[in-house]
Amino acid sequence: MAGVVESDPIPLLTPYQMGKFSLAHRVVLAPLTRQRSYGNVPQPHAILYYSQRATGSNGGLLITEATGVSDTAQGYPDTPGIWTKEQVEAWKPIVDAVHAKGATFFCQIWHVGRVSDTVYQPNGQAPISSTDKPLTPQIRSNGIDVAKFTPPRRLRTDEIPSLVNDFRLAARNAIEAGFDGVEIHGAHGYILEQFMKDKVNDRTDEYGGSLENRCRFALEVVEAIANEIGAERVGIRLSPFAEYAECGDSNPKELGLYMVNALNKYNILYCHMVEPRMKTVNEKTECPHSLVPMRKAFNGTFLVAGGYDRHDGINAIAENRADLVVYGRLFLANPDLPKRFALDAPLNKYNRETFYISDPVLGYTDYPFLEDVTNVVASN
Ligand SMILES: Cc1cc2nc3c(=O)[nH]c(=O)nc-3n(C[C@H](O)[C@H](O)[C@H](O)COP(=O)(O)O)c2cc1C
């Protein structure tokens, strides 16, 4: 495929019609957990954080940090939820501010399953999962702390419909809060993957064993949400190749292809896939695999994420390997990332130390805009 000549329009910054959503460019804000939603309630400081990332990028797509579907969904301190009236009300001004800037806003909904501890669970109960196999303690992504997990309780078959229902209600609440749609978190070792992947799922009922059975829960969630809010408002994030939280599969390509083909039956809006090179948290590795077979098989909008910079993103669009490119750490540190990409301007560096601290400003809303940097240089 031909390379990109810089005088051509930059493919990453060309408009894209995603279903009924008109996007002015293809640079997407990744779902990024920030742990600043005290008591699981989104806070007013998130208004500034999210609307900053809609600035200068009218018509872009923003995806929220992972947001809990129920009181059993959490595994980290101060992650937001969307299962109570108070949480729904708290999201509303955040969504309104993003819409006022002209961006499209999807809520990523999750349940961590066994990636949890009794301290995050109601009445100190055990976390729930597809399995009762415990997770060994993991180094947190700051590279220092060790996260410990309580051995999970395996859900009985007759309990699964109520978990599907939690996802359905959370999606309904997201629409009530004003979001344009939801992204189902089916990646990174959380509960959907605990069912999908054969290194974790050891069930013997209709939710375990064959690939079809292992994907049943995820597809029931997709179907329930599509029926509730309309397939044109539903996206899903998948990471078949990742092995986060000891959640790997013996045949990730087969799993990825099975899922996209099954998703086609529900006509959902988008599929968001994490690059195979992102095997461990935040580290890019050499990898022979590619998402192209999944991209080709999926009928809807295809988003790719993981380790992208400007050049890589431009090529992914130019070579038709994706419709949209999702940026995590670069967008976290550069609120005006689309503008910087347009100008090929230098980027702020992200600071890992402040990713997950609870400060409402530091490492959150204080990354400078290009104008601020330029002004400082000019006045020196
Ligand atoms: C601080 C931080 C928080 C993250 N939180 C989430 C999350 O809530 N949901 C999710 O699906 N991925 C999450 N991720 C993964 C990112 O969405 C993204 O896939 C990852 O950072 C790789 O993309 P990048 O190289 O552009 O940063 C997080 C990553 C970081 C650095």
Side-chain angles (χ1 to χ4, degrees):
M1 203 71 68
V4 178
V5 182
E6 282 290 321
S7 57
D8 290 345
I10 302 167
L12 190 57
L13 299 165
T14 54
Y16 178 76
Q17 191 68 32
M18 181 175 76
K20 60 182 168 188
F21 305 106
S22 301
L23 308 178
H25 60 76
R26 291 140 187 270
V27 180
V28 177
L29 173 68
L32 293 166
T33 292
R34 307 309 313 275
Q35 295 184 203
R36 286 150 166 98
S37 295
Y38 315 134
N40 308 125
V41 179
Q43 299 293 308
H45 47 247
I47 297 174
L48 180 60
Y49 169 73
Y50 281 109
S51 63
Q52 279 181 334
R53 279 149 190 80
T55 301
S57 57
N58 280 352
L61 170 64
L62 272 55
I63 304 166
T64 68
E65 61 213 274
T67 299
V69 298
S70 70
D71 62 354
T72 62
Q74 276 61 239
Y76 304 83
D78 295 332
T79 48
I82 193 147
W83 73 90
T84 70
K85 177 104 183 101
E86 184 190 8
Q87 292 161 342
V88 172
E89 291 306 313
W91 274 115
K92 284 182 180 172
I94 305 167
V95 179
D96 287 348
V98 167
H99 282 159
K101 292 272 169 68
T104 298
F105 203 12
F106 272 53
C107 184
Q108 188 188 57
I109 53 174
W110 76 340
H111 190 299
V112 300
R114 68 173 184 164
V115 189
S116 189
D117 180 282
T118 46
V119 298
Y120 303 116
Q121 296 299 318
N123 312 315
Q125 68 189 36
I128 54 172
S129 180
S130 63
T131 181
D132 52 15
K133 277 191 290 193
L135 188 57
T136 49
Q138 315 263 310
I139 307 279
R140 286 204 192 275
S141 46
N142 64 12
I144 307 161
D145 302 332
V146 177
K148 295 212 178 76
F149 307 97
T150 310
R153 181 178 72 79
R154 183 198 307 268
L155 284 170
R156 296 188 312 269
T157 312
D158 67 336
E159 291 177 290
I160 293 177
S162 125
L163 184 57
V164 172
N165 198 45
D166 287 342
F167 274 90
R168 181 183 67 80
L169 291 173
R172 163 58 45 212
N173 286 346
I175 299 305
E176 159 68 20
F179 284 106
D180 298 296
V182 298
E183 173 173 295
I184 301 161
H185 196 342
H188 297 162
Y190 299 114
I191 207 157
L192 268 69
E193 277 208 343
Q194 291 160 31
F195 277 88
M196 278 187 274
K197 292 189 167 174
D198 63 4
K199 291 187 188 171
V200 177
N201 185 329
D202 55 357
R203 302 180 70 88
T204 53
D205 62 2
E206 65 263 38
Y207 292 93
S210 66
L211 184 55
E212 186 187 355
N213 280 358
R214 283 183 279 118
C215 293
R216 187 181 309 283
F217 170 65
L219 294 170
E220 284 179 358
V221 169
V222 170
E223 185 174 22
I225 294 181
N227 287 340
E228 183 70 28
I229 65 171
E232 71 284 3
R233 294 187 181 280
V234 181
I236 188 167
R237 188 174 222 208
L238 299 172
S239 60
F241 294 90
E243 301 203 348
Y244 299 123
E246 292 171 0
C247 210
D249 194 82
S250 57
N251 196 340
K253 183 176 171 192
E254 191 190 27
L255 170 63
L257 277 172
Y258 179 85
M259 277 302 290
V260 290
N261 282 311
L263 292 171
N264 282 338
K265 296 185 198 128
Y266 300 102
N267 259 320
I268 61 167
L269 181 65
Y270 76 72
C271 177
H272 173 181
M273 269 207 193
V274 178
E275 287 288 342
R277 63 189 173 197
M278 304 306 283
K279 264 230 155 21
T280 60
V281 180
N282 304 332
E283 296 304 334
K284 228 159 83 158
T285 50
E286 284 300 313
C287 173
H289 303 290
S290 130
L291 298 181
V292 171
M294 276 68 87
R295 194 291 190 266
K296 287 196 175 139
F298 186 61
N299 293 339
T301 296
F302 199 73
L303 283 64
V304 292
Y308 278 91
D309 60 14
R310 177 179 185 273
H311 180 73
D312 238 6
I314 291 174
N315 285 340
I317 301 297
E319 292 166 10
N320 197 24
R321 283 183 276 119
D323 297 306
L324 304 172
V325 183
V326 181
Y327 290 88
R329 289 160 294 175
L330 296 185
F331 219 150
L332 182 154
N334 294 274
D336 50 358
L337 190 66
K339 181 176 174 185
R340 290 181 192 241
F341 280 167
L343 301 172
D344 201 9
L347 301 180
N348 301 324
K349 290 198 168 43
Y350 55 82
N351 178 6
R352 263 173 214 272
E353 310 289 304
T354 56
F355 280 176
Y356 303 111
I357 63 171
S358 355
D359 196 285
V361 176
L362 191 65
Y364 191 54
T365 50
D366 62 349
Y367 282 106
F369 285 74
L370 197 52
E371 297 85 64
D372 304 333
V373 180
T374 321
N375 287 341
V376 171
V377 174
S379 61
N380 274 346

